[in-house]
Amino acid sequence: MRALIVDGCKTTRRLLGIYLKSIGFEVVFAENGLDALEKLVGADINLILVELYLPYMDGIEFVKTVKTNPLSVDIPVLMVTTESDRERKEMAIRAGVDDYIVKPVTADLLLRHIEDVLKTKPI
């Protein structure tokens, strides 16, 4: 299984990567939405973790692009963000996010959310 982590913060990318590698994921990193779209092409990604606030293309626009592409529409997407605003969360869900987690995130919390998403959207 391979996951794409999209976050502008290098420390957050590393931390999320450690969590995912601990449960057997291979990890691909992107620091913004445009970079992530390029890395999705032919990468056989099974899960995406994305921050709402990204340079060049925010997480909502990134998710909309992923979910309108027939090649990536079925990839589960977790938004892992600092934004706790209810309206932003609803926007993310409407864009196609499968789950929404507010930072800070522990390994246990993240892994529970990943398990829940993968149960509802088998890969």
Side-chain angles (χ1 to χ4, degrees), residues 19-38:
Y19 293 164
L20 290 176
K21 288 176 184 177
S22 76
I23 59 169
F25 275 90
E26 289 181 45
V27 180
V28 177
F29 299 100
E31 58 188 67
N32 63 63
L34 296 176
D35 182 31
L37 289 176
E38 288 178 12

Side-chain angles (χ1 to χ4, degrees), residues 27 95 106 108 110:
V27 180
T106 64
D108 289 340
L110 181 63

Side-chain angles (χ1 to χ4, degrees), residues 14-116:
R14 281 186 183 169
L15 184 62
L16 294 174
I18 289 167
Y19 293 164
L20 290 176
K21 288 176 184 177
S22 76
I23 59 169
F25 275 90
E26 289 181 45
V27 180
V28 177
F29 299 100
E31 58 188 67
N32 63 63
L34 296 176
D35 182 31
L37 289 176
E38 288 178 12
K39 290 182 175 176
L40 264 176
V41 177
D44 193 29
I45 299 294
N46 307 102
L47 177 69
I48 299 171
L49 276 63
V50 62
E51 164 64 61
L52 175 61
Y53 299 110
L54 298 169
Y56 308 116
M57 172 188 277
D58 72 17
I60 300 282
E61 287 305 311
F62 170 76
V63 171
K64 286 179 181 177
T65 302
V66 166
K67 294 300 184 173
T68 57
N69 182 334
L71 299 175
S72 56
V73 67
D74 293 326
I75 300 172
V77 178
L78 277 75
M79 186 159 281
V80 183
T81 182
T82 56
E83 181 60 68
S84 61
D85 180 69
R86 188 171 164 197
E87 186 176 312
R88 291 286 185 177
K89 179 178 180 178
E90 290 170 4
M91 285 175 58
I93 300 295
R94 284 194 305 272
V97 168
D98 296 285
D99 203 351
Y100 191 98
I101 307 166
V102 178
K103 296 175 187 175
V105 176
T106 64
D108 289 340
L109 176 68
L110 181 63
L111 302 181
R112 277 197 313 271
H113 281 267
I114 289 171
E115 286 175 359
D116 289 345

